[in-house]
Amino acid sequence: MSASLNRKKSAFENEMGSKPKIVIVGAGFGGLTAAKKLRSIKADITLVDQRNYHLFQPLLYQVATAGLSPADIAWPIRSIVARQKNLRVLMRSVTNVDVDKQQLDTDGGSVPYDYLILAPGARHSYFGNDDWETDAPGLKSIEDATEIRRRVLSAFEMAESSEDPYEQRCLLTFVVVGGGPTGVEMAGAIAELSRHALTCDFSHIDPSSTRVVLIEGSDRLLAGFNELLSTKAKSSLERLGVQILTGVRVDGVDNRGVNFGDDRISSRTVIWAAGVKAAPAARWLGVSSDDRAERVIVNADLSVPGLENIYVIGDAALHHSQDGKATPGIAPAAKQMGEYVAAQIKQKVNPVAKKQPSDASETAFRYRHHGSLATIGRKSAVIDFGRTRLSGSVAWLIWGVAHIYFLIGIKNKTSVVLSWLWDYATFERGARLITGSPPEALPANSVSEQESEVRRVA
Amino acid sequence: MSASLNRKKSAFENEMGSKPKIVIVGAGFGGLTAAKKLRSIKADITLVDQRNYHLFQPLLYQVATAGLSPADIAWPIRSIVARQKNLRVLMRSVTNVDVDKQQLDTDGGSVPYDYLILAPGARHSYFGNDDWETDAPGLKSIEDATEIRRRVLSAFEMAESSEDPYEQRCLLTFVVVGGGPTGVEMAGAIAELSRHALTCDFSHIDPSSTRVVLIEGSDRLLAGFNELLSTKAKSSLERLGVQILTGVRVDGVDNRGVNFGDDRISSRTVIWAAGVKAAPAARWLGVSSDDRAERVIVNADLSVPGLENIYVIGDAALHHSQDGKATPGIAPAAKQMGEYVAAQIKQKVNPVAKKQPSDASETAFRYRHHGSLATIGRKSAVIDFGRTRLSGSVAWLIWGVAHIYFLIGIKNKTSVVLSWLWDYATFERGARLITGSPPEALPANSVSEQESEVRRVA
């Protein structure tokens, strides 16, 4: 046993040495694309992630609403890159970047680099009100999603079990804060869950009387998209029975509801989809970031000012195109950045093939926007490719097949995709499991001492 | 909204009253079978479970070893019984049974009964060493399974990340305590996981050098089965590279391994499959139980001595057949008990059709043993129907289709079963996700202060 172990180990170590060391942090869309594009380079690549899986975040809301299982949207990183011989995967958390020693510090030791690609992604942000997280969880990880699923499904269970009409009403009120894509998808999915999947399940309550409220601070939903999509999304959600409040800023969240101005909505389940904050890449590097989302402000070639062998890509980077527009924090942008950075490093490591470009603008990263997309509930989507526009269930199906195939890009995952489409095409919600903390730990049972105060506010 | 709610509610309540109240605790195989068999009776049935899903426990080990997702083996109780109009589902935890008032006390209030069926199941037992649970989790719930999955997969990740050969060896040693069906299946599944699914995934370690040790206290595996199956299981496991220690009693478990006598195996991942203990039904009822597993000792008709309108079935009941044999704690036995008890209650509620039997032995529950079965790894199973014997992949496939269809019995779940068979027939382990506690909380990082002591013992 130890002989074969040593053989394998020393083979790996013998190959180390003169070859450049490329370290990639984060196996999201950006980091994984960079890793794959570097597969033919003579280098020692280390891909570091605190998780052992690549997460397909665009479908996380479906895990949160019991449509999909976690494993349907997460693939083990190791199996994705199993055939890439120049790459090693480490499951570790980054603690710092030592730019002088050129090493990445992690909870499991240091990893030296010649080139560093940081693609650590983002978490949700509470704009300074981090104490709201307990009562209004966000949706960025598998754990977030199963926690939201637990809360949403438990609310129906507790309503069924309750004899108090006021309590039932609060339990059947769901508030989603934030009208971006995640908020729109969550609100639509909860409305559908209650109106379709759960209709026959309860004898004491009427799940279709569920109230779903979507609160957005700006004056329209999907503010980052064009207005046509905003309008489509709004009317689709209203058809599903979602109540939409725009131009409303939440200024208080507790375990019994949300406050805005003098108003209050009593709700046992509040979901936060209102903002994102980058992973602390700027802090690791000791460089400046933008105030709002704490992203590293990168050069035109995605390198970090003053640290030309370090690149930041994806949601953790703030990149402005030549017309001054910020590159959006979406999967296609992260993938393009990963592709671009891989090409940059290839060129630096092995500069034979191409001549050096004459000025900086030639080498600058250019984001190509392929289209905007919003899914609003089952079999409903809008695709805007500029010239081509599609909507309804055909758009949803075309997008589903094409987009997922494109994003995963692994043939042997087709079976998973097909089973997903099959599950979703039927009306079942198979993953309707309340797991995690036992029911005793639910907010409604643990807050009785605050109840009187809350009722006063309400 | 409230109009329709009230209409629905009062319709439910109007039907209450003169009809007998039947309360079933537990939606496992026993409780669910009883509920279904009572679907045509004029009664108000309440099915109480602390979970919102029915769990297919026989396949739990596959969730623990990343072969299946939790949702593949768990079905929402409400959707299973959605069409049963005389039944209400409550997601609550039982705290006590008030036999004088004839009511079930729960964390959400009391539920009155005329007939009570207790089918609360069992948990794993540490024979008085409950402090071992932290270091040697058992396998009875979804949370248990995802926790074991996290530990098993994390061990490989930490071994890959470690530079210390001793540490790596400990991380790649897996100990399963208990050679019953669960232990045999777990040991086989971990061996296969390391030898097939993970082979290409790691560059630093050789997953196929994993050591899997199965420890059994008695002198053979599957002691409850016939000897042929024990021998088959042993040789199949040994072919997979599992080391089997029989006649060995573990007398110490800590986060660095297990002790037995003067021997010790250093291991970071110990899994407990050595014993079960019934849910506290005997305590709720204030009646006597057997010492070992704390099961309620029931009458020949599965009622509780002195409490003839209360029945205990499944793993929480100790029933002896007329030849003195104890009915085993397996799914078919629980289902037969559920069926029998439903018939008993039907007869009591509505005694018109059948004449009263002349003596007690005519009404006694009789367990019919349909066969023994053990699955040992992929596509390997042994079926013993008495006259017919099958082994290998054909047995595995026939059993898989027939057994699961039989146990679930719902047509619209066929798609789930098919997708399960499809996944399992390929060599992928799709559900290879480390979720739950962050890596920081893993044993290897949290126990440094105990390390010196442990090494001394080793």
Side-chain angles (χ1 to χ4, degrees):
Chain A
M1 159 198 148
S2 77
S4 89
L5 192 69
N6 288 338
R7 211 181 320 121
K8 199 160 179 184
K9 217 164 134 179
S10 56
F12 183 86
E13 276 158 7
N14 285 343
E15 288 181 24
M16 305 280 283
S18 62
K19 282 184 283 178
K21 296 178 189 67
I22 304 171
V23 175
I24 303 170
V25 174
F29 294 118
L32 214 46
T33 304
K36 285 186 193 165
K37 290 288 165 187
L38 290 168
R39 66 176 164 269
S40 55
I41 199 175
K42 282 210 172 191
D44 292 308
I45 307 173
T46 307
L47 177 57
V48 181
D49 199 294
Q50 56 182 340
R51 305 290 184 169
N52 77 327
Y53 50 83
H54 166 74
L55 178 63
F56 193 98
Q57 278 188 351
L59 291 177
L60 205 49
Y61 79 98
Q62 289 194 16
V63 173
T65 51
L68 292 175
S69 274
D72 293 337
I73 62 160
W75 293 268
I77 297 165
R78 294 191 185 280
S79 74
I80 297 173
V81 297
R83 284 191 196 82
Q84 189 165 340
K85 293 302 168 206
N86 65 351
L87 185 141
R88 180 183 179 186
V89 178
L90 284 183
M91 185 181 151
R92 291 191 190 167
S93 291
V94 174
T95 53
N96 195 32
V97 178
D98 190 328
V99 293
D100 297 325
K101 290 190 191 161
Q102 300 218 125
Q103 66 182 31
L104 183 80
D105 297 333
T106 73
D107 57 352
S110 296
V111 186
Y113 66 80
D114 297 308
Y115 298 95
L116 178 62
I117 303 173
L118 294 176
R123 286 280 299 167
H124 37 269
S125 160
Y126 293 85
F127 309 122
N129 300 292
D130 288 352
D131 54 312
W132 294 356
E133 179 153 23
T134 323
D135 301 315
L139 185 62
K140 277 284 176 188
S141 70
I142 291 280
E143 285 82 1
D144 292 341
T146 50
E147 172 61 18
I148 290 176
R149 183 179 73 185
R150 189 182 68 71
R151 291 191 189 206
V152 170
L153 297 176
S154 295
F156 287 103
E157 292 292 342
M158 289 191 289
E160 172 79 0
S161 185
S162 170
E163 304 291 331
D164 175 357
Y166 170 79
E167 178 71 18
Q168 280 190 330
R169 222 159 45 234
C170 298
L171 284 164
L172 293 181
T173 301
F174 298 87
V175 176
V176 178
V177 183
T182 303
V184 165
E185 286 160 350
M186 275 303 297
I190 295 174
E192 286 200 325
L193 179 69
S194 61
R195 277 158 187 77
H196 296 306
L198 299 182
T199 351
C200 307
D201 277 8
F202 295 88
S203 53
H204 211 66
I205 56 165
D206 179 1
S208 67
S209 68
T210 306
R211 183 181 174 205
V212 183
V213 186
L214 178 60
I215 300 179
E216 162 61 27
S218 75
D219 63 347
R220 62 179 175 100
L221 299 180
L222 301 174
F225 288 58
N226 80 43
E227 289 211 36
L228 173 74
L229 285 175
S230 295
T231 315
K232 280 257 185 196
K234 185 162 186 283
S235 59
S236 295
L237 283 175
E238 283 171 345
R239 261 200 308 278
L240 286 170
V242 175
Q243 184 185 349
I244 296 164
L245 303 178
T246 51
V248 167
R249 291 196 82 84
V250 168
D251 43 33
V253 178
D254 55 62
N255 52 34
R256 295 276 154 163
V258 295
N259 294 323
F260 40 98
D262 297 330
D263 285 325
R264 178 174 172 86
I265 297 174
S266 290
S267 161
R268 294 288 171 276
T269 315
V270 181
I271 293 153
W272 191 261
V276 290
K277 189 171 78 176
R283 185 170 57 71
W284 299 336
L285 298 169
V287 299
S288 59
S289 62
D290 69 319
D291 287 337
R292 206 177 60 90
E294 300 179 21
R295 292 168 292 185
V296 174
I297 302 161
V298 294
N299 293 328
D301 68 347
L302 305 180
S303 66
V304 178
L307 302 164
E308 268 67 32
N309 60 339
I310 302 180
Y311 298 88
V312 183
I313 62 174
D315 290 358
L318 177 56
H319 168 263
H320 286 102
S321 63
Q322 279 151 315
D323 59 2
K325 263 190 169 170
T327 304
I330 56 178
K335 285 169 64 76
Q336 289 175 29
M337 287 170 151
E339 213 166 310
Y340 170 87
V341 162
Q344 291 293 106
I345 292 176
K346 261 188 192 165
Q347 179 67 20
K348 284 183 184 176
V349 168
N350 194 15
V352 274
K354 286 182 192 169
K355 69 170 169 63
Q356 290 293 333
S358 49
D359 73 300
S361 71
E362 253 184 70
T363 64
F365 168 70
R366 273 198 201 85
Y367 169 62
R368 298 170 301 284
H369 189 66
H370 291 311
S372 297
L373 169 112
T375 43
I376 310 112
R378 167 177 304 277
K379 296 187 205 161
S380 169
V382 187
I383 310 182
D384 180 358
F385 290 128
R387 275 165 301 182
T388 314
R389 277 186 188 140
L390 285 168
S391 66
S393 62
V394 177
W396 180 83
L397 270 175
I398 291 174
W399 173 79
V401 176
H403 200 56
I404 292 182
Y405 183 79
F406 170 68
L407 284 169
I408 305 163
I410 301 162
K411 220 164 67 185
N412 64 3
K413 293 297 175 194
T414 312
S415 65
V416 177
V417 176
L418 288 176
S419 83
W420 167 68
L421 285 173
W422 172 260
D423 283 355
Y424 197 64
T426 66
F427 264 90
E428 273 297 316
R429 295 274 172 138
R432 215 147 79 228
L433 311 183
I434 301 177
T435 55
S437 318
E440 293 82 55
L442 290 177
N445 293 325
S446 58
V447 295
S448 41
E449 76 278 7
Q450 290 180 26
E451 178 68 344
S452 57
E453 195 202 331
V454 170
R455 291 229 180 176
R456 223 183 313 123
V457 178
Chain B
M1 159 200 146
S2 76
S4 91
L5 192 66
N6 288 340
R7 209 179 322 121
K8 201 162 178 181
K9 218 164 132 178
S10 56
F12 183 85
E13 277 158 6
N14 285 343
E15 290 182 22
M16 306 278 285
S18 62
K19 282 186 281 178
K21 296 178 190 68
I22 304 171
V23 175
I24 303 170
V25 174
F29 294 117
L32 215 47
T33 304
K36 285 186 193 166
K37 290 289 165 188
L38 290 168
R39 66 175 165 270
S40 56
I41 198 175
K42 280 209 174 194
D44 291 308
I45 307 173
T46 308
L47 179 57
V48 180
D49 198 293
Q50 56 182 338
R51 306 289 182 168
N52 76 327
Y53 49 83
H54 165 76
L55 179 62
F56 193 99
Q57 278 189 351
L59 291 175
L60 205 48
Y61 79 97
Q62 289 195 16
V63 173
T65 51
L68 293 175
S69 274
D72 294 337
I73 62 160
W75 293 268
I77 298 165
R78 293 191 187 282
S79 74
I80 298 173
V81 296
R83 284 190 197 84
Q84 188 164 340
K85 294 303 167 206
N86 65 350
L87 185 142
R88 181 183 179 186
V89 179
L90 283 184
M91 184 180 149
R92 291 192 190 166
S93 291
V94 174
T95 53
N96 196 31
V97 178
D98 191 329
V99 293
D100 297 325
K101 289 190 191 160
Q102 299 218 126
Q103 66 182 30
L104 183 79
D105 297 334
T106 74
D107 59 350
S110 296
V111 186
Y113 65 80
D114 297 309
Y115 297 95
L116 178 62
I117 302 172
L118 294 176
R123 287 280 300 167
H124 37 270
S125 159
Y126 293 85
F127 309 122
N129 300 291
D130 288 353
D131 54 312
W132 293 357
E133 178 151 24
T134 322
D135 301 316
L139 184 62
K140 276 285 176 187
S141 70
I142 290 281
E143 286 82 4
D144 292 342
T146 51
E147 172 60 18
I148 289 176
R149 183 178 74 184
R150 189 183 69 71
R151 291 191 188 204
V152 170
L153 297 174
S154 295
F156 287 103
E157 292 292 340
M158 288 191 288
E160 172 79 1
S161 186
S162 170
E163 303 291 332
D164 176 356
Y166 170 79
E167 178 72 17
Q168 281 189 330
R169 224 162 39 236
C170 297
L171 285 164
L172 293 181
T173 301
F174 298 87
V175 176
V176 178
V177 183
T182 303
V184 165
E185 286 160 351
M186 276 303 297
I190 294 174
E192 286 200 324
L193 179 71
S194 62
R195 276 157 187 76
H196 295 306
L198 299 180
T199 352
C200 306
D201 277 7
F202 294 88
S203 54
H204 210 65
I205 56 163
D206 179 359
S208 68
S209 69
T210 306
R211 183 182 173 203
V212 182
V213 185
L214 178 60
I215 300 179
E216 164 60 27
S218 75
D219 63 347
R220 62 180 176 102
L221 300 179
L222 301 174
F225 289 58
N226 80 43
E227 287 212 37
L228 172 74
L229 286 175
S230 293
T231 315
K232 280 257 185 196
K234 186 163 185 282
S235 60
S236 296
L237 283 175
E238 282 171 345
R239 261 200 307 280
L240 287 169
V242 175
Q243 185 186 346
I244 296 164
L245 303 178
T246 50
V248 167
R249 291 196 82 83
V250 168
D251 44 32
V253 178
D254 56 63
N255 52 35
R256 293 276 152 163
V258 295
N259 294 325
F260 41 98
D262 296 331
D263 286 325
R264 179 176 171 86
I265 297 174
S266 290
S267 162
R268 293 289 172 277
T269 316
V270 181
I271 293 153
W272 192 261
V276 291
K277 191 172 76 178
R283 187 170 55 69
W284 297 337
L285 297 170
V287 299
S288 60
S289 62
D290 69 320
D291 286 338
R292 206 177 60 90
E294 302 180 21
R295 290 168 293 185
V296 173
I297 302 161
V298 292
N299 293 329
D301 68 347
L302 305 180
S303 66
V304 178
L307 302 164
E308 268 65 34
N309 60 337
I310 302 181
Y311 297 88
V312 183
I313 62 173
D315 290 358
L318 176 56
H319 168 263
H320 286 103
S321 62
Q322 278 151 313
D323 59 1
K325 264 190 170 175
T327 304
I330 57 177
K335 286 168 63 74
Q336 289 175 29
M337 287 170 150
E339 213 165 311
Y340 170 85
V341 162
Q344 291 294 106
I345 291 176
K346 260 189 194 166
Q347 180 66 19
K348 284 184 184 177
V349 167
N350 195 13
V352 272
K354 287 182 191 170
K355 67 169 171 61
Q356 290 291 334
S358 50
D359 73 301
S361 71
E362 251 184 70
T363 65
F365 169 70
R366 272 200 200 87
Y367 169 61
R368 298 171 301 283
H369 190 65
H370 291 311
S372 298
L373 169 113
T375 43
I376 310 112
R378 167 178 304 277
K379 296 186 206 163
S380 169
V382 188
I383 311 183
D384 180 357
F385 290 129
R387 275 165 300 182
T388 314
R389 276 184 189 142
L390 286 168
S391 66
S393 61
V394 178
W396 181 82
L397 271 175
I398 291 174
W399 173 77
V401 176
H403 200 55
I404 292 182
Y405 183 79
F406 170 67
L407 285 168
I408 304 165
I410 302 162
K411 218 164 70 184
N412 65 1
K413 293 296 174 194
T414 311
S415 66
V416 177
V417 176
L418 287 176
S419 83
W420 167 69
L421 286 173
W422 171 259
D423 284 356
Y424 197 64
T426 66
F427 263 91
E428 274 296 317
R429 294 274 172 136
R432 215 148 78 229
L433 311 183
I434 301 176
T435 56
S437 318
E440 292 82 54
L442 289 177
N445 292 325
S446 59
V447 296
S448 41
E449 75 278 5
Q450 291 181 26
E451 177 68 343
S452 56
E453 195 203 330
V454 169
R455 290 228 182 178
R456 224 183 312 122
V457 178

